[in-house]
Amino acid sequence: MKAAILIQRWYRRYIARLEMRQRYTWNIFQSIEYAGEQDQLQLSSFFSFMLDNFTQLNLISHLLDPVVNPQTDRARLTNHEQIIVPESYNGPRLTFPLTVSQTDALLTAFKNQQQLHGRFVLQLLQETKKLLRQMPNVVYFSTPYAKEITICGDLHGRLDDLLLIFYKNGLPSAETPYVFNGDFVDRGKKSVEILILLFAYLLLYPDHMHLNRGNHEDHIMNLRYGFTKEVMQKYKTHGRDILKLIQEVFSLLPLATVIDNKVLVVHGGISDVTDLDFLRSIERHKVRTVMAKVCITAAVFKDCNMYFRRTIGIFVVDLLWSDPKSQPGCRPNTFRGGGCYFGPDVTRRLLEKHALSLLIRSHECKREGYELCHDGQVITIFSASNYYEEGSNRGAYIKLGQELVPRFFQYQVSHTTRKLTLMQRVRVGEGSAVRALQEKLFAHRSELMAAFQHYDTSNSGCISVSEWAVVVESVLRMDLPWRTLRPRLARLAPDGMVEYQSCFEDMGPGQPIPQVSPNFAETLYRYRTDLEIIFNIIDKDHSGQISTEEFRQTWRLFSAHLGVEVDNKAIDDLARTMDFNKDGSIDFNEFLEAFRVVHKLDSKDQQEC
């Protein structure tokens, strides 16, 4: 008996330690995700800055121009129909109106890694656009008698999750209605396929398939998080036309769904100014991007008054970006950098005002795939399993019947985790999280070193653990258990002090360029993703080339906007260095590759292989 008790105690402590490691791994992933969203929102303010200060380059106004007129639509549709599909193409062929056999063919093709031809993608998008134009901002519908409605959260390009939902729950139909609550694209590798399937079922069952817009149904977000690149890689010939049409379709997606006049479904959340009556009246198609409110700029609302711009901008951002919190009231969402935190009192007032009983939202990854808060009046549903790392979280969906009592169904797509023990799964996730955190440290090396040296008055190269934790928290501004993480990030000296330079030992630049000073290089490492987005905007034909003059002027404006001091000569020297062919153009993908953080142990392993 004593042996059994000892074993039980040991096992409980073992599981508790693993749970603690899983929790801080989760916190790292989430903090890095939200830090990236803050960067994205900051970049959006740079776009506005460029419109005001650099209009002669016409860098981004083409991304924010109004939706095209019907005459342009008719001409475009004719052009799509004239695209020749080669006889060698053996994938699905779509005709409109769609049939069940055609959606079945799409499912089979995507399961077999086939691709839908660009002509049919364009036609599908055009038909979807025509349908969405007729739909209201807020869709009201009732659950069929003796049937249930299924509500799914973020999918983020994970086709396997969508296919698993369809397998477990049934394909969309009059008997199996669905609401998909936004964030269909980005991060995953199969965003195109997910969009095609969702739009196809929307066209097939417009009264039983409902799609809400999420914060990633936004072309500025797509530039950072992968969807734009995915489209261009899969459709090299028709990619630009497909992206343009997708932008227009995204702007036409409804912003909310109300079930049985009792359940409100929105992607992010609400604020203390959310009003469904006002929401029904706005012209949602004009909100081509909702990034940080500042992207609803002159290019879209040039002739509109400031009140109109700010009201719609703030309103839509709140719907797509906000998160619930247990504290009462409504305050800016500083963690994400956009939207707000809304408390249970805000939820209660909105539900009472509109005679609702429940708010269902998505937008946040949850370890179990769902979470209840605000005394059960708010449900978060997230349908992308393994979001951060294989085994990191479950996906889930909700089923609601006429009684409106939610039933939760969980799942997890598994490719490798079934072969791993619990300890191995924890190690895999922990390793990925720590690597991402190390890259953050490397990108802020000069700031960290200056702060470390402020405490290191004797120039010993060491500071206390508490001082080290204070510095890292103050520079990275990520609310993490730094003392717990320290053994994975920095080495201790024999006297128990932290050797702070050891934070950067395991990392180095991808392809060092001798002409670039260390400080300038660090700036480039830190803003590498932002620069990639900007260069992709400049590169309208997606050739991977921009002119050296565009490079110089863009970087000067970017550094001025951020308040980063960079010598103009350093920019000019770098531009000349990267112009390998001396033809006045820069391959910016090669340029960005030179400023990628590389983990030295990975490089060593690859060399040995």
Side-chain angles (χ1 to χ4, degrees):
M1 180 64 72
K2 288 184 178 180
I5 293 174
L6 288 174
I7 292 172
Q8 186 181 57
R9 287 176 179 173
W10 171 86
Y11 181 73
R12 286 176 177 173
R13 285 196 296 269
Y14 169 76
I15 294 298
R17 286 195 297 271
L18 288 183
E19 174 66 20
M20 182 188 70
R21 289 170 64 180
Q22 284 181 310
R23 284 181 182 277
Y24 79 62
T25 296
W26 181 268
N27 289 339
I28 293 171
F29 280 131
Q30 195 169 66
S31 295
I32 290 174
E33 177 190 6
Y34 291 169
E37 290 181 345
Q38 287 186 21
D39 291 342
Q40 180 67 29
L41 295 172
Q42 184 182 49
L43 182 62
S44 299
S45 67
F46 169 64
F47 293 157
S48 181
F49 176 80
M50 289 188 77
L51 279 177
D52 295 334
N53 295 276
F54 208 21
T55 54
Q56 65 271 26
L57 268 185
N58 193 29
L59 295 180
I60 67 168
S61 60
H62 68 284
L63 289 177
L64 299 174
D65 54 12
V67 177
V68 295
N69 60 44
Q71 288 184 341
T72 307
D73 277 354
R74 284 193 291 272
R76 179 186 287 167
L77 181 58
T78 302
N79 291 337
H80 298 166
E81 292 173 347
Q82 293 174 351
I83 295 173
I84 297 174
V85 180
E87 293 183 5
S88 59
Y89 172 73
N90 59 0
R93 294 175 180 264
L94 305 184
T95 57
F96 299 92
L98 287 175
T99 64
V100 173
S101 63
Q102 289 176 325
T103 55
D104 289 346
L106 285 172
L107 279 169
T108 301
F110 294 157
K111 288 177 183 177
N112 294 328
Q113 309 301 314
Q114 285 183 305
Q115 189 169 294
L116 184 64
H117 191 276
R119 167 180 169 170
F120 303 121
V121 176
L122 288 165
Q123 288 180 299
L124 178 74
L125 291 170
Q126 193 69 39
E127 293 296 320
T128 303
K129 181 180 172 183
K130 287 195 294 186
L131 174 62
L132 289 175
R133 271 181 169 164
Q134 304 169 24
M135 298 180 68
N137 297 336
V138 183
V139 175
Y140 288 79
F141 75 99
S142 301
T143 51
Y145 180 73
K147 294 185 177 67
E148 293 179 302
I149 180 79
T150 302
I151 302 151
C152 300
D154 302 38
L155 288 168
H156 280 300
R158 286 159 171 80
L159 180 63
D160 287 344
D161 285 303
L162 179 62
L163 296 178
L164 185 57
I165 292 169
F166 286 165
Y167 174 78
K168 291 169 67 72
N169 191 62
L171 296 174
S173 66
E175 290 71 35
T176 312
Y178 278 90
V179 176
F180 285 89
N181 197 25
D183 279 14
F184 319 126
V185 302
D186 281 333
R187 302 188 187 277
K189 297 179 180 180
K190 297 286 186 177
S191 296
V192 170
E193 288 79 0
I194 284 178
L195 271 192
I196 290 171
L197 287 173
L198 295 182
F199 291 162
Y201 282 113
L202 175 66
L203 292 172
L204 190 61
Y205 301 108
D207 295 327
H208 309 287
M209 182 74 167
H210 307 278
L211 307 180
N212 284 345
R213 184 177 184 177
N215 65 307
H216 278 262
E217 278 65 67
D218 185 305
H219 55 277
I220 301 296
M221 292 290 284
N222 302 155
L223 284 164
R224 175 181 287 266
Y225 292 105
F227 180 52
T228 298
K229 183 177 292 186
E230 179 188 337
V231 171
M232 292 308 302
Q233 288 175 343
K234 291 179 178 178
Y235 295 96
K236 293 180 172 60
T237 303
H238 305 293
R240 290 183 65 198
D241 290 337
I242 290 172
L243 283 172
K244 181 71 174 177
L245 203 43
I246 285 174
Q247 290 173 21
E248 296 168 12
V249 171
F250 282 173
S251 72
L252 291 167
L253 286 168
L255 298 171
T257 300
V258 176
I259 303 171
D260 289 341
N261 292 312
K262 287 296 180 181
V263 180
L264 173 64
V265 185
V266 296
H267 177 72
I270 59 174
S271 72
D272 53 1
V273 298
T274 299
D275 183 273
L276 297 186
D277 297 326
F278 177 74
L279 178 59
R280 285 193 290 267
S281 69
I282 68 173
E283 297 178 274
R284 71 180 186 275
H285 67 278
K286 291 185 176 180
V287 187
R288 299 290 299 281
T289 177
V290 297
M291 292 302 302
K293 302 182 279 290
V294 298
C295 273
I296 306 171
T297 56
V300 178
F301 296 117
K302 199 162 189 175
D303 298 324
C304 302
N305 62 56
M306 182 62 69
Y307 175 78
F308 179 71
R309 286 166 54 190
R310 289 187 61 195
T311 301
I312 290 185
I314 294 172
F315 202 85
V316 176
V317 168
D318 287 345
L319 290 172
L320 304 189
W321 280 85
S322 296
D323 295 312
K325 287 293 180 185
S326 57
Q327 296 84 355
C330 185
R331 63 189 190 281
N333 190 332
T334 54
F335 205 30
R336 287 189 190 269
C340 69
Y341 292 128
F342 62 97
D345 54 327
V346 177
T347 297
R348 187 169 54 254
R349 282 198 301 270
L350 181 95
L351 296 182
E352 290 175 356
K353 178 180 179 179
H354 296 284
L356 300 167
S357 61
L358 182 65
L359 168 62
I360 296 178
R361 43 90 64 178
S362 302
H363 193 44
E364 286 184 285
C365 182
K366 300 298 179 182
R367 286 178 61 183
E368 297 301 318
Y370 72 93
E371 185 178 88
L372 282 71
C373 64
H374 294 184
D375 298 321
Q377 290 187 313
V378 174
I379 297 175
T380 298
I381 190 72
F382 197 86
S383 299
S385 65
N386 309 307
Y387 180 62
Y388 293 123
E389 180 63 56
E390 186 82 12
S392 64
N393 66 284
R394 295 181 181 181
Y397 55 88
I398 300 171
K399 292 180 76 72
L400 282 178
Q402 286 195 316
E403 298 80 12
L404 300 180
V405 177
R407 294 195 298 140
F408 301 96
F409 295 81
Q410 297 169 291
Y411 55 87
Q412 190 161 26
V413 172
S414 179
H415 299 294
T416 61
T417 50
R418 287 182 182 175
K419 302 175 183 177
L420 302 177
T421 66
L422 176 60
M423 172 63 82
Q424 288 171 328
R425 291 200 297 271
V426 171
R427 283 177 178 168
V428 169
E430 190 178 53
S432 296
V434 169
R435 285 158 56 90
L437 201 52
Q438 287 174 328
E439 291 176 11
K440 279 282 183 186
L441 291 170
F442 188 81
H444 292 79
R445 180 172 180 168
S446 62
E447 288 179 73
L448 288 167
M449 285 297 295
F452 289 148
Q453 289 166 356
H454 174 75
Y455 285 97
D456 182 18
T457 55
S458 61
N459 295 322
S460 64
C462 297
I463 57 176
S464 69
V465 173
S466 60
E467 290 169 339
W468 179 87
V470 167
V471 168
V472 176
E473 171 64 29
S474 64
V475 172
L476 297 189
R477 298 179 183 177
M478 298 169 67
D479 186 18
L480 291 171
W482 294 109
R483 288 172 177 265
T484 303
L485 291 169
R486 196 278 314 154
R488 302 298 303 272
L489 300 172
R491 186 172 58 247
L492 288 184
D495 61 357
M497 302 288 276
V498 178
E499 297 177 355
Y500 51 81
Q501 293 197 56
S502 64
C503 293
F504 317 109
E505 286 181 351
D506 294 335
M507 290 162 290
Q511 300 171 5
I513 299 177
Q515 295 87 345
V516 179
S517 68
N519 288 340
F520 188 24
E522 183 179 321
T523 303
L524 291 165
Y525 291 130
R526 187 179 309 176
Y527 298 109
R528 179 181 181 278
T529 302
D530 292 343
L531 289 168
E532 181 176 12
I533 294 169
I534 295 167
F535 292 157
N536 272 304
I537 292 172
I538 299 171
D539 178 30
K540 294 181 184 179
D541 63 355
H542 298 279
S543 66
Q545 302 280 329
I546 60 172
S547 73
T548 53
E549 184 58 27
E550 286 173 332
F551 174 85
R552 289 188 186 99
Q553 295 191 50
T554 302
W555 177 249
R556 284 171 183 160
L557 268 179
F558 189 58
S559 58
H561 176 65
L562 295 174
V564 178
E565 293 186 10
V566 178
D567 181 29
N568 284 340
K569 184 177 182 301
I571 298 173
D572 293 339
D573 290 344
L574 180 60
R576 283 192 294 272
T577 300
M578 297 307 299
D579 182 9
F580 298 114
N581 299 326
K582 306 305 176 187
D583 60 355
S585 64
I586 294 173
D587 183 331
F588 65 82
N589 290 314
E590 190 169 343
F591 161 76
L592 291 167
E593 184 64 18
F595 296 99
R596 179 175 57 87
V597 177
V598 172
H599 294 259
K600 294 178 180 178
L601 291 177
D602 292 348
S603 301
K604 183 178 179 182
D605 291 341
Q606 290 173 5
Q607 290 171 2
E608 290 177 352
C609 291

